[in-house]
Amino acid sequence: MVERFFDKQARCLTISVKGRFDYNCHKIFKDAFSAFDATICYVIDFVEVTYLDSSALGMLLLLRDHAGGERADIRLINVNGAVMDTLKAANFHRLFSITE
Amino acid sequence: MEQPQPLTILIADDNPVDRLLLASILRQFGHKVILAVDGRDAVEKFDAKTVQLVCLGITMPHKNGWEVAEDIQCITGDLFIPIIFLSGVVDAVALSNCLRVGGADFISKPYNTALITTKLNTIVRLLVMRRTLEEQRDAMALYNQQLLNEQDVAKVVYENITHSNCLNDSALSTFHYGTHTFNGDVILAAYKPNGGMHLLLGDFTGHGLSAAIGALPLADIFFDWTKKGFLMRQIIPEINARLKGILPTNMFCSAAFIDIKVNDKSIEIWNGGLPDLLFFSQQSDRPIRFASKNLPLGILSPELFECRIDPVSFSSGDRIMAFSDGVYEALDGAGTMFCDSVLPPLYKGEIRAEESVDWLMAQLQQEDVLDNPHDDISCLSVRLDPAIGIDSSRHLVSKAHHEAPADFSFDYVLHADSLRNTDPLPYVLQILTTVPGLSRFSSQIFMILSELYSNALEHGVLKLSSAKKDSSDGFSSYYEERERTLANLTEGFVKISVKVTSDRQHRLLVLYVEDSGVGFDFHRASYDTSNTELLYNRGLGLLHRLCSKLEFSKGGRAVSAHYCWQVGEES
């Protein structure tokens, strides 16, 4: 499940993923981050994510590309447990700002 | 009015008047009619190849219409030949019976020409639709068959490319389970020209063909560059750049690369996104874990890509093990991931190193993961030994006896900038292997060349002391210092001079390497290789053994190595 909230003032898009973040979220996640133009920053809330697979890592890369690659401002928040392990193993903390 | 296309129609009716009346109506529209006088006659005259429509009376002697319908359906099998019942009764039960046994429709008596025409038109449309469907079905089946054939061919090509390696070396144990025809995991192993081995375990995002497709360039670069003598730290960025160039943004390859260096009994480990590699040292109770320090391959652009490599020295019988996500994230019977439920004893050193692969496979079997895997699963383990890959070139010996004479020489001088940025060895080797007969000795020549060059660079130009390599810790700090001083190098040179003279009688290669260092006291050099536990100074003994003559000059700043080779099978 994917929910989104757009803060017009800050032009900040928050996407909350719930449950398993895997290939089944592909379309809805892509729709969520491409829905708003002129977004400055992205926050992905992992508080309710129980599992993350490699296609989810791929989706984060797609978002990063969409948000401007090297210049992208993307924060992954409320990351815990196994999800943190997966992100760390892939060294994604070098691409994204990740917090617990 | 729409004119239906002419059909061949079988009419079975024991009432001669009705039979002839219907026949004449149908003939009027151009249809061809076959007549049967009762049920048995109808079954005999029915020919599935010609008849396209059957009209059956319900009550007939010998066999009633419903029985005939069943017989005919038995004969036709998959073919669609509609059956229409002819009925004088308007009994709802009898009529619904007709439809139940497979009748397409019924025509009531007395016959009404307009009604019959309409019904025939409907039947014709049904036939046309049915034929279209059948054609589409056949086309699909054919297409599917072609697809399967193509996949089979592609699988052969794929396996030839990804398995053209030395996975059958006795030092290796591997297993490999795919969820699809094509596997998104690859295990590659190749002998290096100077002994030792390169190993790669890769896991592409996703499964099946789309995951496997990236394995082709990966394997291609891996084998080609290893054969040419490139180093792991040169091959990895090349693979990354190629994958970055060809894969879509959301696809990448998590991988581990292991370089087994037999000359100084060490391995180098690069881990990008795979679960921790485990190094089982016989001196330690539990395995040393090598966590991923790199992003997977194919994500970063070449400018941003860096190679974070862990060096470690080994003694004979130590082991290194790697496995893919499919193992780490496999679910046990209770739905808990392997990393939490099954793997801890392995991490704690409770499983003997030499049994670890079998043990892991048994765990996967026991938890029913192998029979229905959610992800591709692969695992590799190597028993480390300084003999790995030595003499590997013997397997590749060419049978050619004749050779053309060769006579050439060249100098290759690298100054600071080039010392920092290039590795000259693959290029020199490439030129040398153009000499007929010499190419089969490329592994020995590469070994000599790389010993001479690394001595010149590390001890001559960078002024590193090999005594530093005296312990496992010192070993990695030696390499760190090598990296650092090389990166800051502003002056110095290494000169490589090559001279080849080869005719039927004499075949001689002279490699002369000179550096800008201060030299060393070569009179005290030890050529003894009997102390195998020594982590350094093994190079000179090796050179001494391989070369017919080894001569120092210029106060130890220069050395020339003479190498003679034989042609044919006599070696």
Side-chain angles (χ1 to χ4, degrees):
Chain A
M1 250 250 305
V2 174
E3 279 175 10
R4 63 182 191 219
F5 168 76
F6 187 60
D7 180 344
K8 277 187 193 155
Q9 210 87 52
R11 283 157 64 193
C12 181
L13 177 64
T14 303
I15 300 176
S16 313
V17 184
K18 291 177 184 169
R20 291 174 67 87
F21 191 6
D22 59 15
Y23 190 78
N24 296 317
C25 307
H26 190 85
K27 190 175 182 312
I28 186 163
F29 186 81
K30 211 176 152 186
D31 289 348
F33 73 66
S34 42
F36 301 94
D37 289 336
T39 305
I40 295 175
C41 75
Y42 296 82
V43 175
I44 314 299
D45 190 345
F46 280 79
V47 71
E48 290 184 62
V49 176
T50 52
Y51 171 78
L52 177 93
D53 75 351
S54 64
S55 59
L57 298 178
M59 284 181 249
L60 292 173
L61 293 175
L62 278 180
L63 165 62
R64 185 169 175 270
D65 215 35
H66 173 84
E70 297 308 314
R71 293 169 288 108
D73 179 0
I74 302 170
R75 272 166 270 168
L76 314 184
I77 62 164
N78 299 319
V79 182
N80 285 298
V83 175
M84 184 61 111
D85 291 345
T86 308
L87 288 168
K88 269 197 185 145
N91 276 263
F92 268 39
H93 49 275
R94 282 158 65 187
L95 303 179
F96 301 92
S97 136
I98 303 178
T99 51
E100 284 186 20
Chain B
M1 197 182 108
E2 188 188 343
Q3 188 68 37
Q5 66 186 95
L7 302 173
T8 301
I9 303 171
L10 172 68
I11 300 172
D13 195 340
D14 59 323
N15 179 329
V17 178
D18 285 350
R19 187 169 68 230
L20 292 174
L21 177 60
L22 182 59
S24 73
I25 294 173
L26 295 177
R27 284 196 181 109
Q28 215 179 302
F29 294 112
H31 300 300
K32 190 183 169 211
V33 176
I34 300 166
L35 297 173
V37 295
D38 59 36
R40 196 193 294 151
D41 193 26
V43 177
E44 278 167 10
K45 285 186 171 151
F46 176 77
D47 176 1
K49 288 194 194 77
T50 52
V51 173
Q52 290 159 297
L53 173 64
V54 180
C55 299
L56 290 178
I58 295 175
T59 50
M60 289 187 291
H62 304 301
K63 242 179 199 165
N64 68 31
W66 298 319
E67 291 167 330
V68 176
E70 276 165 7
D71 286 359
I72 284 179
Q73 280 166 346
C74 263
I75 300 168
T76 53
D78 275 350
L79 276 175
F80 176 65
I81 298 173
I83 295 167
I84 294 180
F85 286 98
L86 311 168
S87 159
V89 290
V90 226
D91 171 8
V93 177
L95 292 180
S96 69
N97 243 350
C98 297
L99 299 183
R100 197 175 46 77
V101 299
D105 205 346
F106 40 81
I107 298 172
S108 341
K109 297 175 183 181
Y111 294 131
N112 172 319
T113 313
L115 198 63
I116 290 174
T117 313
T118 321
K119 292 205 170 188
L120 280 178
N121 282 339
T122 312
I123 292 290
V124 168
R125 269 202 298 277
L126 208 60
L127 282 170
V128 168
M129 202 186 336
R130 177 74 186 205
R131 195 178 308 140
T132 312
L133 272 178
E134 278 169 2
E135 282 167 7
Q136 286 173 346
R137 181 200 61 195
D138 293 348
M140 286 282 261
L142 187 68
Y143 176 72
N144 196 39
Q145 193 54 49
Q146 283 171 343
L147 202 67
L148 288 177
N149 289 346
E150 275 177 21
Q151 282 204 355
D152 284 343
V153 174
K155 194 168 154 56
V156 172
V157 175
Y158 177 75
E159 285 179 352
N160 283 343
I161 295 177
T162 56
H163 292 96
S164 56
N165 55 33
C166 54
L167 279 176
N168 49 4
D169 189 292
S170 61
L172 296 181
S173 345
T174 57
F175 65 82
H176 208 34
Y177 288 87
T179 49
H180 290 70
T181 315
F182 287 98
N183 198 321
D185 283 4
V186 277
I187 301 180
L188 308 175
Y191 297 119
K192 300 189 290 177
N194 58 338
M197 188 188 272
H198 278 163
L199 282 158
L200 186 145
L201 191 152
D203 174 5
F204 282 87
T205 338
H207 328 285
L209 182 59
S210 60
I213 218 158
L216 298 182
L218 177 124
D220 213 30
I221 299 169
F222 178 86
F223 290 122
D224 198 39
W225 283 49
T226 298
K227 194 171 99 194
K228 286 188 177 150
F230 284 97
L231 306 173
M232 173 170 100
R233 60 184 68 244
Q234 298 166 315
I235 300 175
I236 292 172
E238 175 67 15
I239 292 175
N240 177 68
R242 188 85 66 91
L243 292 183
K244 173 75 181 158
I246 60 168
L247 294 181
T249 312
N250 57 341
M251 263 190 78
F252 53 83
C253 177
S254 298
F257 200 127
I258 302 164
D259 179 5
I260 302 172
K261 301 160 82 171
V262 288
N263 291 354
D264 53 14
K265 293 174 78 173
S266 73
I267 51 175
E268 290 194 332
I269 297 165
W270 180 93
N271 183 355
L274 278 194
D276 295 2
L277 273 71
L278 304 178
F279 175 67
F280 295 89
S281 160
Q282 292 155 104
Q283 277 139 37
S284 164
D285 304 341
R286 51 168 71 200
I288 303 167
R289 295 167 70 157
F290 288 92
S292 155
K293 290 184 176 169
N294 299 276
L295 279 150
L297 298 165
I299 294 178
L300 289 177
S301 60
E303 308 82 63
L304 296 169
F305 187 78
E306 356 168 20
C307 248
R308 297 183 185 182
I309 291 171
D310 291 308
V312 58
S313 56
F314 69 82
S315 25
S316 274
D318 290 350
R319 280 176 182 265
I320 178 94
M321 181 185 195
F323 43 78
S324 65
D325 272 0
V327 173
Y328 192 76
E329 292 178 356
L331 299 178
D332 69 4
T336 312
M337 291 211 284
F338 259 46
C339 55
D340 296 323
S341 62
V342 172
L343 299 181
L346 183 68
Y347 289 135
K348 285 185 202 147
E350 290 162 14
I351 312 300
R352 283 158 52 89
E354 57 272 29
E355 285 161 6
S356 51
V357 171
D358 291 340
W359 175 84
L360 190 57
M361 184 130 90
Q363 299 298 313
L364 289 162
Q365 198 102 54
Q366 194 181 320
E367 299 296 337
D368 209 22
V369 178
L370 294 186
D371 293 331
N372 41 71
H374 297 290
D375 195 355
D376 300 325
I377 284 174
S378 40
C379 172
L380 88 85
S381 164
V382 198
R383 185 188 183 282
L384 297 165
D385 190 294
I388 290 176
I390 299 288
D391 297 336
S392 60
S393 60
R394 293 236 174 103
H395 306 302
L396 309 164
V397 166
S398 112
K399 297 273 187 283
H401 282 248
H402 45 76
E403 56 162 3
D407 184 4
F408 66 85
S409 64
F410 61 88
D411 290 347
Y412 189 174
V413 186
L414 296 100
H415 297 280
D417 285 339
S418 290
L419 288 172
R420 271 205 317 275
N421 299 321
T422 16
D423 175 6
L425 303 186
Y427 307 109
V428 174
L429 187 70
Q430 212 154 5
I431 296 174
L432 285 176
T433 50
T434 59
V435 179
L438 192 50
S439 57
R440 55 177 292 203
F441 301 101
S442 64
S443 64
Q444 296 193 348
I445 292 160
F446 193 82
M447 205 180 289
I448 298 168
L449 198 58
S450 59
E451 278 304 325
L452 296 177
Y453 181 72
S454 58
N455 279 343
L457 179 67
E458 293 171 14
H459 306 316
V461 178
L462 301 178
K463 300 183 176 62
L464 302 171
S465 158
S466 61
K468 281 215 180 92
K469 285 199 250 180
D470 209 358
S471 69
S472 302
D473 285 349
F475 198 80
S476 32
S477 68
Y478 176 86
Y479 277 100
E480 277 162 26
E481 196 181 335
R482 180 190 187 278
E483 291 294 288
R484 199 175 54 247
T485 43
L486 184 60
N488 297 322
L489 188 70
T490 50
E491 55 186 14
F493 71 86
V494 174
K495 174 179 176 181
I496 302 169
S497 298
V498 175
K499 183 168 168 54
V500 172
T501 39
S502 159
D503 58 30
R504 280 176 199 287
Q505 279 78 43
H506 306 284
R507 303 176 190 92
L508 177 65
L509 161 69
V510 181
L511 291 168
Y512 169 89
V513 177
E514 182 187 331
D515 63 67
S516 57
V518 294
F520 75 108
D521 184 2
F522 56 87
H523 301 292
R524 288 175 53 198
S526 159
Y527 299 133
D528 182 16
T529 51
S530 57
N531 184 358
T532 54
E533 291 312 307
L534 215 57
L535 289 171
Y536 63 96
N537 209 2
R538 298 162 47 79
L540 280 184
L542 195 72
L543 288 173
H544 195 67
R545 203 153 42 84
L546 289 171
C547 302
S548 58
K549 191 158 101 183
L550 195 63
E551 217 171 44
F552 290 95
S553 57
K554 300 197 175 175
R557 287 201 298 114
V559 57
S560 70
H562 291 234
Y563 181 81
C564 302
W565 72 94
Q566 302 290 320
V567 177
E569 299 298 314
E570 60 265 61
S571 74

